[in-house]
Structures are given as C-alpha cells and as structure tokens.
Amino acid sequence: MTKHNAKTQPTPPSREAINIVWLKRDLRLQDHEPFLRAEQSSIDYLPIYIFEPSALRHPDSALRHQQFVYHSIGAMNAQLTPYHRNVEVFYAEAVEVFSYLCDAFHINEVFSYQESGIRATWERDKAVLQLLNQYSATWHEFQNNGVIRGISDRKLWDAKWYGYAGSKAIENAYTTSNRKPNAHPFPLPETLQTRLENYPSTFQKAGEKFAWKYLESFCSDRGKNYSRHISKPLESRTSCARISPYLAWGNLSIRQAVALVKLHPNYENHKRSFNGMLTRLKWHCHFIQKFEMECDYETRCVNRGYESMPYTNDDHLIEAWKSGTTGFPMVDACMRCLNHTGWVNFRMRAMLVSVFCHHFDCDWKLGTYHLAQLFLDYEPGIHYTQFQMQAGTTGVNTIRMYNPVKQSKDHDPEGVFIKQWVEELREFPTQFIHEPWAVSTLEKQLYGIETTYLDPVINLEECGKNARSKIWGYRKHASVKQESVRIVMKHTRNKASRNSLK
Ligand SMILES: Cc1cc2nc3c(=O)[nH]c(=O)nc-3n(C[C@H](O)[C@H](O)[C@H](O)COP(=O)(O)OP(=O)(O)OC[C@H]3O[C@@H](n4cnc5c(N)ncnc54)[C@H](O)[C@@H]3O)c2cc1C
C-alpha cells in the first residue's frame, strides 16, 4: 500500500472533519443513496471520482469509457454548482487518494455503492477498506440495483429483486456547502484531460439528462416497434431503448427505469414491447448478480470443464475480426459500426462472438477485451457472462451458432446497414450483398461490378460444421457435466419465481 508522502505533497492547513461520497458506476444525482446519507450527516462531505492509472491500463478499458465518465461528472458538476459543490476528480490509485485524504482531513464516513466489478476492483476495495480501518473511518457500501452481496445461491433472489425494482426511488435534495475547495496533488494530466474533453459526437452523450431523454423517447414513441426490430442491426438503433451506457455508468438506476416504463401512459398500448424491455432490465441485474458471486468469469470459463477445450487461435483471423476485414459483410459492418458508435444490438453482438469462437475457432479470452473496449455500455457483470454464453462455455445454456450470412439475409435483407458501414460494398448490387464472394465472373461483367472488398477469410460452411461437432462433443465431457451441476445449484432460480414484474 502506498502512503501519502507529506514532504512532497501539499497538505491543507487544518484537519477538517469530513465525509466522502466515493462515486464509481453511479454517476447521477437522483436515486442516490450515498448522496442521501451524506446529506443527512451533520458533517459536510466531498464527492470524489478516481481515475486509477491501473484501471485505465487494464485491457478492458478504453478512452470512450473514460470520456463518458468524465462528461457524466461534468453534467453533475453543472447541477451541483448552485450548491457550491463539485465532484473532485483524482488521478491516482484509490489507496493513494484515500491515504492522502485521511492525512489531509479527518475522514469520518465514506459512502459508496457496492461495485460488482472485476477482480482488480474487488482487491482494490479490500485495500481501501484496510486503510480506512487504520484511520478509523467507516465505509458504508450500499446495495446497487438489487444485486445482493454475500449470497451463495439464488433461492430468494427474484423476490428480493422485485422488492427493490418496485420500491420508490430516492428523491435527493442538496444543501449548500460552506467548504472552500482545496487543491490536491493528483490532478488529471493535461494530455489526458484534453483527450477526455474531445468526446466524439458519434457516441451517445453522457449524463442524467440524456439518460432520461433516451428513456422518455423510447416510451413515448421509439419503443412501439421494440419487439419487431430488436434483432435488426439498423432498426434496433431507433427502436431499442439505448439506455445501456446510462445504466452501465449509473446515470440512471434500474428502478428509475422500471418505474418510468411501467407508469408510462403508453404502457397499455405497447405492453408487449415494454414488457420485453422490462424483462431485460431484470436480466441486467441477473447477470451482474452472477458476476458478483464469481468475478473470475472475466478470465476463466464459467464452466471450468471448458478450460481445456483446444482452439486454433489463428492470429490472422483474430486480426481480421478485430479490424472488420473478414470478408463477411455483416461481421465487418458490425465491427466497424461498433468502432465508430460504441453500440450494436444484442443479436449482432452474439453473432460477432459466435463467429469468433465457433467459425474462427478462437478462444473467447482472446476476443472479450476487444468488445469490452468497443462497447460504450461495457458492464463487466453482463459482458463476461454474455460473452461466454455465446461462446458456449457455460455448459448450462443452449448453444447457439449464428451464421453471419443468414443473419444478414434475415435482418438486413436490403443490405442498408451493410452498405452504411462497409464502404467497399456501397455500390454492390443488393441481390449479391450478403455473399459477395459468390458472384461469378460472368455476373461481374454483366453487372459491371468492381470492388476492393476482400474474399472471406474462412470457408463458412466447413468451419461451421467443424465447430458444431466440436462444441456439442465437448459438452459431453465428464468435467463439463460435473461443473454444470455446480452452476445450476449456485446460479439458477426456480421458474415460478422468475416472472412477476409485468
Ligand atoms: C457478447 C455480449 C456482450 C454484451 N455486453 C454488454 C455490456 O457490456 N453491457 C450491457 O449493458 N449489455 C451487454 N450486452 C447485452 C445487450 O446486448 C445490451 O444490453 C443491449 O444491446 C443494450 O441496448 P439497449 O439499451 O437498447 O437495450 P434494450 O433491449 O432496450 O434493453 C434495456 C436494458 O436491458 C438490459 N439488457 C438488454 N439485453 C440484455 C441482455 N441480453 N443481458 C443483460 N441485460 C440486458 C440493458 O441494461 C439494456 O440497456 C451484451 C450482449 C452480448 C451478446
């Protein structure tokens, strides 16, 4: 643990008693328990956010995430200004920051939400707790979005979750602070600050205001076609709620979203669509709960029996997948779209994983960080569990292989999405867009087709066949079966308890 060095770093003149609100993935001012509790205390408080160099270096992290965080904080600060409050931003390891704060102030209490993060953040939290204990500061961590810490099975989880989702959101009120802000020794480096400020306009805008805008426009209009469009790469961009980055970084809480959808005047008109979306809000927490109970899913198979499954791991294929140059129009369109906008719908995410792990025969561990970096809504609890479900390494879920040509024909029949993202195919005749490699020389001449688009990097049919026999065969392994029993005991709930939100 690094201790603050008083010789090299400025210390404020007196040890003022203070509480801390430590913001993590909860970047909002309403329905916020840590802020509520801090406001209820007789001691003033300092809200902080820590950009940790080690977290920024972790392979799941990307500038777009940090920019979303930075601009969420900017939006909060704009609202806090009338109260003379400000979220203080630090650039250092959390232990260093708390060590500094504990020396500079008399820290009474720290308020935060529990973080169901990766192992690194879990270990970081343990180190911070140890430090706070040394300074006799009390850390209150509140339950987040109905995810429960410390349970060993899911027997009562559903009922408790419905209790949370149906409960009233906190209406936070803010008082004016009399504190004078102190300069601290861990400001953001100028170069990083400049990069954070230059947030591309192709990504969803950050902050509570935009979270509500997306949700409101979904309920009042966009959501009416949710069920029909959810699998379509183009139409889903409008018809899905698009609230995932806001939930992932906490601009919005789950129960705020549930309440708005359920109480919306359009609920009765679009019940099927809205209920579909409400179900997914529960999935959000269901997956995070799994990860809360086993965060090693970041780096090992959900079902340990798959740890020894062999893969080819061809570097050329991995690179083609990452760069959107596989020669499969729908795969390349999705990867390029993700790179540019940070979002594609569930079906296309599943297809990307399926092609990578099944057709290309690559270990999910070699692809998972790439998508984590591209997803603006990267949420570890959902990401690793979903990635592995699609990779077929859970042993308990139905194995689904998505043929990219079929997905393309079914969900982008006119190739509008493909043409938008694969420049080389923009002028390609629509009837050949799903399988450009199948166009004969004669057809090329007749239609005057010229393109620089690449041939596919694999033979889809052959690789699909091999993948099916490999993945279904492996499921029969004794070690996979044995692990499956453990997983069912730990992570599944009985059917009757699952559905009572609608
Ligand atoms: C390989 C893979 C990785 C994924 N990684 C993430 C991730 O890092 N972060 C993330 O938020 N979602 C992830 N998802 C789930 C899903 O694709 C996105 O939540 C969804 O596309 C977000 O768009 P939306 O807000 O319009 O969703 P909507 O369909 O409008 O649903 C509303 C909300 O419900 C939740 N939700 C929707 N689908 C799922 C699902 N299948 N599982 C869990 N929660 C769901 C999300 O919070 C979403 O914002 C992943 C899916 C796959 C296949």
Side-chain angles (χ1 to χ4, degrees), residues 218 226 230 236 239-245 247-248 254 276-277 279-285 287 343-347 349-350 353 371-372 375 377-380 382-384 386-388 390:
F218 172 81
Y226 179 77
I230 191 166
S236 62
S239 298
C240 280
R242 305 292 307 273
I243 55 170
S244 49
L247 291 170
I254 288 285
M277 192 275 206
T279 301
R280 284 168 178 82
L281 290 177
K282 185 169 177 236
W283 290 358
H284 174 108
C285 305
F287 283 106
W343 192 88
V344 290
N345 59 329
F346 174 83
R347 174 66 67 108
R349 295 183 195 209
V353 176
L371 289 191
F375 293 162
D377 59 24
Y378 165 57
E379 166 63 68
I382 302 176
H383 187 67
Y384 298 108
Q386 274 292 355
F387 206 109
Q388 291 209 48
Q390 308 309 329

